[in-house]
Amino acid sequence: MRSRLQVTEIGVIPLRQGELLEHRIITPILLSLSLLLIGLPSKAQDARAVVQLAPSANQLSLAAGEQVPFTVQALDLSGTVVDVPLRITGPRNAVSIENGVVQGLQPGEYEIVVTVVVPADSGLEPLSLRVPVVVTWPRASEVVVEASATLYERTTVKHQARVTHADNSFRPDPEIRWSSSDPSIATVDQFGNVTAQMLGTVTITASFEGVTNSVSHDVIAFPGSRIELMGSPAAGVQTGDVIHFNALVRDGAGSVVEDAPLSWSHSYSATEGMLGVPATGQMLRGDFVADIAGIHSVTVSSGSLSARASFEVSARDVVQEVELVGHGPENRYRTTDLWIFEGVDGRDYAITGSKVSGGFSFFYDVTNPAVITKIDSIQVDARTINDVKASPDGRYAVLSREGATNRRDGLVIMDMSDPMNPVIASFYDEGITGGVHNMFAADDYLYALANGDKYVIIDMADIYDPQFISEYNHPDSRLHDVWVADGLAYSSEWGTGVVVVDVGNGRWGGSPENPVFVTSYATPSGATHATFPYYQESTGKTYLFLGDEIMNRRGLAWAGYPESMGSYSNRYDPSTGTGGIPLANRGYIQIIDFTDPENTKMVARYEVPEFGTHNIWVEDDKLYQAYYEGGLRVVDVSGELMGNLYTQGREISVFKPVSQNGYTQNATMVWGAQPHKGHVFFSDTNSGLWSVKLLPKQRPIS
């Protein structure tokens, strides 16, 4: 029988093929949202001597971008400083804690938690301290008012106000106070909409935090005599179809009034007398998309002129049944991400990781998706293998490490030249000073996150001797995920949003050796967790699918979760109304039109309100979305995208796996999904690896 090796940084332990270790490698490192370990002496004193934690400040108040010193001392009963390691954590993207300095990143009210580090097997209850932190916005330095159209009598023009700080950063969603110098000539509402009442001169002023700016208008007579509406659709419009309208205002001579302001609206009539109709559609300037079937009307107006078009919209019929094909059950370890690939031998394989499970990764033969066969298991020195990847040519695979005993996490590189017998080729940790949460294999290069601060680019031409090439660290940002396509690296960086870097595309002069920043797009949620770029052949558009992950679901009574899920132990008590799980997640997919990388805009979203998103895959105009407790969701993303895909009926199918023999019985928690050769494979934290298939739509009865 062939023997296997369990590889650590210390040595190797022989294992029989398929055998799993009963023990787990314990790591002293807790991966937190924001982490700093202070004072790790070679011979630390006993943590039991600590009776008090003394911070340099009992509370902190600072502006975003500001830095203040912050230290903590551990004291014994006599008030003497005790030399023990301390763990200081703060909320990710809100504050940064490093080298005795706290920096404010995101305004809000937070807490810094200080904890004495105790050995895992000591049985000690660690002493901890909470320090309130208030992060405020810097003072506004300038207000800029923008108006894009001439102010004609009896028309309305939207005014925008942009607020900047001294460091040239922008204030999101400032509450502007608007005023008019003469309301008899023109009024202005709280949203900056200016309506001209009569001819004359008027000044519109925007104020914020004592800073003001104004714009003056000469209200002139409206020259329009008629308005033309174009773009009314023919038959065959479905929910989710984007319809482009246009309108022209003409004067008495038939000439176009180029700067005439246009106001768009729509109305709806149910075809079957529905009550309680939800949002029926979205109108964005001249673009319209319907959410539900019925008679829709679009109206355009300018001054006293208006035109209207009505049309019927039918329901989007995209529902397909999902058939369960196979299951590779796992009940001893919590499964993390997966990667499906064709091996060099022409067969199909899957790799999965594990979460807080002693560094296990599992290898499967999935050539027959109905018979998912575990062919090997590898254990390495790690607390969690969060991510797994295989190269496009299938010659190597990579396991990420978090929580190694020596704190040098890095990567485990697997030789897949014989896919049925994976072999550890090398370890890599150059430039990677903390946990590797995510990575991406593209050609002969590997992009690996380093402790959420940067990603390192590695030359993988020789997997037994991988070489550091370069790295990219976006300023004041935290990384969670990176994806590479067409020479562009898309990194998901929470509050910073998606950061796009040229690593070989060439348009901006970048290469793996010289990464060049292209652009970034920050979403309103500030919780960008994953990004998937997708080129849509039918429209010629490139879309970015950005997945949010928002960790807080307070207020939902049903948010309790099984105690077997580790930290999810504060179950909701319906008799008292207390408890529930604050760390259950929610979130949605935000869809960005990235056709012109230098002129990006958000156009659509997909949200299942009750659940939170995780990993994303888009292929052949279908979105395969891992939605945690919401299961596997398959969504139609064909054609131009606009509005809320969920309410438009674009959901093709839903599959929620459960297993009585799972790590947590009968609890859905889908982590990642990937289509492969006509099947869809996905991992579930509580039950392992699954394969399903979308069945063809049934033919109508004729």
Side-chain angles (χ1 to χ4, degrees):
M1 179 178 293
R2 183 179 67 92
S3 63
R4 311 181 33 248
L5 299 178
Q6 184 231 348
V7 182
T8 71
E9 300 290 31
I10 301 173
V12 297
I13 303 172
L15 298 175
R16 295 187 300 272
Q17 184 176 6
E19 182 181 22
L20 303 180
L21 290 182
E22 293 295 334
H23 71 278
R24 298 184 180 182
I25 300 174
I26 305 298
T27 174
I29 299 176
L30 173 65
L31 298 177
S32 62
L33 301 183
S34 177
L35 178 71
L36 175 66
L37 292 177
I38 293 184
L40 289 174
S42 58
K43 294 183 179 180
Q45 298 175 358
D46 194 335
R48 281 173 285 201
V50 180
V51 299
Q52 181 184 355
L53 293 173
S56 57
N58 292 321
Q59 60 182 15
L60 297 175
S61 180
L62 65 165
E66 183 183 359
Q67 296 181 341
V68 298
F70 180 73
T71 57
V72 182
Q73 292 182 323
L75 307 177
D76 63 13
L77 194 60
S78 67
T80 302
V81 175
V82 182
D83 189 12
V84 295
L86 302 178
R87 180 181 293 112
I88 302 183
T89 65
R92 181 171 50 197
N93 298 325
V95 295
S96 170
I97 311 169
E98 188 174 0
N99 299 325
V101 174
V102 174
Q103 181 180 12
L105 301 178
Q106 179 68 32
E109 297 182 3
Y110 312 103
E111 283 186 331
I112 291 176
V113 181
V114 185
T115 307
V116 178
V117 178
V118 300
D121 57 352
S122 67
L124 297 176
E125 184 70 25
L127 185 68
S128 64
L129 172 74
R130 296 179 179 271
V131 179
V133 181
V134 178
V135 181
T136 61
W137 285 110
R139 293 288 299 176
S141 63
E142 185 181 20
V143 175
V144 178
V145 181
E146 299 175 345
S148 60
T150 303
L151 192 57
Y152 291 110
E153 187 181 13
R154 301 299 179 186
T155 66
T156 299
V157 174
K158 173 70 174 178
H159 288 52
Q160 304 282 353
R162 185 177 71 252
V163 177
T164 60
H165 311 121
D167 61 357
N168 294 321
S169 62
F170 292 95
R171 180 72 62 89
D173 301 320
E175 295 183 3
I176 302 294
R177 180 181 177 184
W178 294 94
S179 62
S180 169
S181 63
D182 191 343
S184 68
I185 296 175
T187 59
V188 58
D189 65 15
Q190 60 182 318
F191 308 109
N193 296 305
V194 177
T195 302
Q197 305 296 330
M198 59 184 293
L199 303 182
T201 300
V202 67
T203 298
I204 304 299
T205 300
S207 303
F208 183 77
E209 293 185 350
V211 182
T212 65
N213 203 352
S214 302
V215 62
S216 294
H217 293 281
D218 291 323
V219 179
I220 61 178
F222 183 57
S225 63
R226 60 189 175 94
I227 187 169
E228 298 176 4
L229 176 61
M230 296 159 286
S232 183
V237 179
Q238 297 180 319
T239 55
D241 289 348
V242 180
I243 307 169
H244 299 281
F245 292 92
N246 191 19
L248 296 176
V249 176
R250 297 185 183 275
D251 61 19
S255 299
V256 176
V257 183
E258 297 288 352
D259 56 356
L262 300 175
S263 177
W264 297 89
S265 63
H266 92 278
S267 57
Y268 169 78
S269 299
T271 56
E272 298 181 2
M274 291 185 294
L275 297 177
V277 176
T280 58
Q282 180 174 329
M283 191 87 224
L284 183 61
R285 293 180 290 277
D287 300 333
F288 174 75
V289 62
D291 287 342
I292 60 177
I295 306 298
H296 293 263
S297 298
V298 168
T299 301
V300 61
S301 60
S302 184
S304 60
L305 306 176
S306 66
R308 175 173 171 166
S310 298
F311 48 94
E312 185 171 5
V313 178
S314 59
R316 196 175 195 89
D317 183 18
V318 295
V319 175
Q320 292 179 243
E321 186 179 352
V322 171
E323 178 182 67
L324 173 62
V325 177
H327 182 204
E330 182 56 61
N331 58 13
R332 299 178 64 186
Y333 305 97
R334 296 170 64 185
T335 305
T336 54
D337 213 351
L338 83 163
W339 194 260
I340 314 296
F341 65 102
E342 181 178 308
V344 295
D345 59 358
R347 299 183 66 82
D348 297 318
Y349 297 93
I351 310 172
T352 64
S354 63
K355 183 178 180 65
V356 198
S357 298
F360 275 104
S361 182
F362 303 104
F363 296 75
Y364 301 85
D365 185 337
V366 295
T367 307
N368 180 357
V371 184
I372 298 176
T373 305
K374 185 182 293 184
I375 58 175
D376 216 337
S377 58
I378 302 290
Q379 186 184 24
V380 300
D381 180 10
R383 178 174 179 265
T384 289
I385 297 177
N386 183 81
D387 195 21
V388 295
K389 291 290 191 299
S391 62
D393 57 9
R395 65 185 178 89
Y396 70 88
V398 187
L399 315 178
S400 71
R401 296 205 300 176
E402 293 178 280
T405 55
N406 66 357
R407 300 179 61 197
R408 292 176 58 190
D409 295 321
L411 308 167
V412 181
I413 302 168
M414 307 295 301
D415 185 342
M416 301 300 293
S417 58
D418 181 3
M420 297 294 291
N421 299 284
V423 175
I424 294 178
S426 58
F427 293 93
Y428 182 92
D429 62 11
E430 184 178 353
I432 302 176
T433 56
V436 180
H437 194 69
N438 179 267
M439 58 207 171
F440 192 88
D443 300 321
D444 285 337
Y445 296 97
L446 184 73
Y447 300 75
L449 269 63
N451 200 34
D453 294 324
K454 61 185 179 182
Y455 54 83
V456 174
I457 304 176
I458 308 161
D459 187 340
M460 300 293 288
D462 183 357
I463 62 173
Y464 286 83
D465 187 24
Q467 296 295 313
F468 175 91
I469 295 296
S470 66
E471 62 183 40
Y472 185 82
N473 186 346
H474 197 71
D476 301 322
S477 193
R478 296 286 295 171
L479 280 79
H480 180 273
D481 191 274
V482 64
W483 195 274
V484 182
D486 297 324
L488 295 176
Y490 302 85
S491 55
S492 303
E493 308 204 8
W494 299 110
T496 307
V498 59
V499 176
V500 186
V501 175
D502 185 347
V503 292
N505 178 275
R507 177 177 171 183
W508 296 269
S511 66
E513 295 77 14
N514 179 39
V516 175
F517 172 79
V518 175
T519 188
S520 64
Y521 188 97
T523 61
S525 67
T528 303
H529 167 276
T531 301
F532 196 103
Y534 178 66
Y535 174 74
Q536 190 181 70
E537 291 186 1
S538 62
T539 63
K541 291 181 175 292
T542 296
Y543 290 109
L544 300 185
F545 291 78
L546 274 57
D548 286 337
E549 188 175 57
I550 305 170
M551 304 300 292
N552 199 322
R553 203 188 276 167
R554 285 191 177 93
L556 297 183
W558 48 265
Y561 215 81
E563 295 182 7
S564 57
M565 290 297 292
S567 63
Y568 300 151
S569 59
N570 185 23
R571 305 181 70 176
Y572 177 75
D573 185 348
S575 63
T576 63
T578 60
I581 309 305
L583 290 179
N585 91 327
R586 60 186 177 88
Y588 46 87
I589 303 295
Q590 305 190 69
I591 303 169
I592 311 302
D593 188 338
F594 195 72
T595 307
D596 179 3
E598 297 175 352
N599 185 27
T600 57
K601 60 179 179 179
M602 183 182 299
V603 294
R605 68 187 289 172
Y606 168 70
E607 179 183 16
V608 182
E610 299 88 353
F611 307 109
T613 68
H614 200 241
N615 288 359
I616 310 164
W617 199 290
V618 186
E619 188 174 289
D620 296 332
D621 287 352
K622 292 183 177 64
L623 164 67
Y624 300 91
Q625 179 61 49
Y627 229 104
Y628 281 143
E629 305 107 305
L632 168 70
R633 326 286 292 211
V634 186
V635 183
D636 171 21
V637 292
S638 62
E640 187 175 356
L641 303 178
M642 176 178 166
N644 191 333
L645 308 190
Y646 182 70
T647 58
Q648 294 167 11
R650 284 179 171 267
E651 215 167 56
I652 297 172
S653 57
V654 178
F655 185 85
K656 295 184 178 182
V658 293
S659 173
Q660 292 186 346
N661 299 317
Y663 184 91
T664 300
Q665 292 184 354
N666 300 324
T668 300
M669 186 62 71
V670 177
W671 184 283
Q674 181 182 342
H676 184 77
K677 297 184 179 180
H679 291 79
V680 184
F681 295 85
F682 64 90
S683 59
D684 185 285
T685 297
N686 293 325
S687 55
L689 178 65
W690 299 74
S691 66
V692 298
K693 186 174 184 177
L694 284 174
L695 298 181
K697 296 181 63 174
Q698 295 183 353
R699 294 178 57 188
I701 299 175
S702 59

